[in-house]
């Protein structure tokens, strides 16, 4: 496994506040292997306390503070897309991260975002090639790269507000926050729960590899089943 694996390991270490031994990481083949390794590295004894509930209460308090919604309006099944309209979502996301010091699940680009940016850049370079003599048009390579970066930045700024399927409800969002901040929340209540560790690992893998969370099973191979490079 290559850089995808390195990024996933670093993300997992940060989320759980642990260090995964290199020798053990090299033996990880499936998502279940990663879950087992994380559980072995966690120092606290397993308990039955529900960190998901702790995360929900923290998230609910946070959402009340930034939206002004009544406490009774924010339930696990509440639609986060309605509670945080797309036109405000990115700004509110940053506000929640600053006020809580939590790492929040990443907002995504729409699926057409990257292809549209590449198509726009290709169109501009093509126009330049026809407008300028061929040898000179080679000078458009660097400006073209700059245009691509700017196009991606603009698309992300304007449209990078998509919620992944698993965090489109407040309950799902709470699980996503738990996945990103498992070590912090577990330290606060001095507990780890093996089942909740697995749910957090699943969400981290799904987000990092950009795959449907349903594909992340304990038997799923990172390379063969989840497309890790």
């Amino acid at each position: 496994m290559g850089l995808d694996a390195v990024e996933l390991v670093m993300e997992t270490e940060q989320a759980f506040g642990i260090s995964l031994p290199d020798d053990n990481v090299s033996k990880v083949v499936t998502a279940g292997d990663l879950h087992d390794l994380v559980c072995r590295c966690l120092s606290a004894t397993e308990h039955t306390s529900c960190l998901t509930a702790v995360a929900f209460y923290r998230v609910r308090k946070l959402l009340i503070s930034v939206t002004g919604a009544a406490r009774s309006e924010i339930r696990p099944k509440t639609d986060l897309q309605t509670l945080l309209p797309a036109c405000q979502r990115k700004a509110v996301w940053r506000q929640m991260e600053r006020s809580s010091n939590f790492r929040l699940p990443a907002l995504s680009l729409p699926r057409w975002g990257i292809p549209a940016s590449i198509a726009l850049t290709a169109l501009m370079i093509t126009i330049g090639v026809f407008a300028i003599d061929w040898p000179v048009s080679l000078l458009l390579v660097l400006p073209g790269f700059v245009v691509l970066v700017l196009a991606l930045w603009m698309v992300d700024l304007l449209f990078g507000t998509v919620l992944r399927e698993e965090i489109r409800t407040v309950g799902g969002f709470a699980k996503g926050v738990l996945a990103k901040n498992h070590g912090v929340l577990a330290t606060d209540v001095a507990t780890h729960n093996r089942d909740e560790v697995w749910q957090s690992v699943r969400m981290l893998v799904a987000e990092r590899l950009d795959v449907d969370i349903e594909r992340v099973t304990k038997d799923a191979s990172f390379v063969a089943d989840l497309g890790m490079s």
Side-chain angles (χ1 to χ4, degrees), residues 149-203:
V149 172
L150 288 175
L152 288 169
W153 178 77
M154 286 298 297
V155 169
D156 180 62
L157 181 66
L158 297 174
F159 304 105
T161 60
V162 178
L163 297 169
R164 291 180 61 88
E165 183 68 32
E166 59 267 25
I167 63 168
R168 289 183 181 174
T169 65
V170 174
F173 178 50
K175 291 178 181 178
V177 170
L178 174 59
K180 289 283 193 176
N181 305 273
H182 203 112
V184 174
L185 289 168
T187 299
D188 287 349
V189 297
T191 183
H192 286 289
N193 178 290
R194 189 176 177 88
D195 289 339
E196 288 182 330
V197 170
W198 167 238
Q199 292 307 317
S200 293
V201 167
R202 285 185 81 201
M203 297 193 82

Side-chain angles (χ1 to χ4, degrees), residues 120-142:
L120 175 62
T121 304
L123 176 62
M124 294 183 68
I125 292 177
T126 300
I127 292 173
V129 167
F130 282 102
I132 305 173
D133 290 338
W134 168 247
V136 180
S137 66
L138 291 175
L139 299 175
L140 291 174
V141 173
L142 181 58

Side-chain angles (χ1 to χ4, degrees), residues 3-49:
L3 293 180
D4 281 348
V6 174
E7 293 288 347
L8 177 59
V9 168
M10 294 176 65
E11 178 77 14
T12 303
E13 290 178 328
Q14 186 172 7
F16 287 95
I18 58 177
S19 179
L20 300 177
D22 291 342
D23 290 345
N24 295 58
V25 168
S26 65
K27 300 174 184 176
V28 169
V29 175
T30 66
D33 292 340
L34 179 59
H35 171 231
D36 289 338
L37 179 56
V38 169
C39 287
R40 291 199 303 271
C41 291
L42 291 171
S43 58
T45 305
E46 181 178 352
H47 296 282
T48 57
S49 300

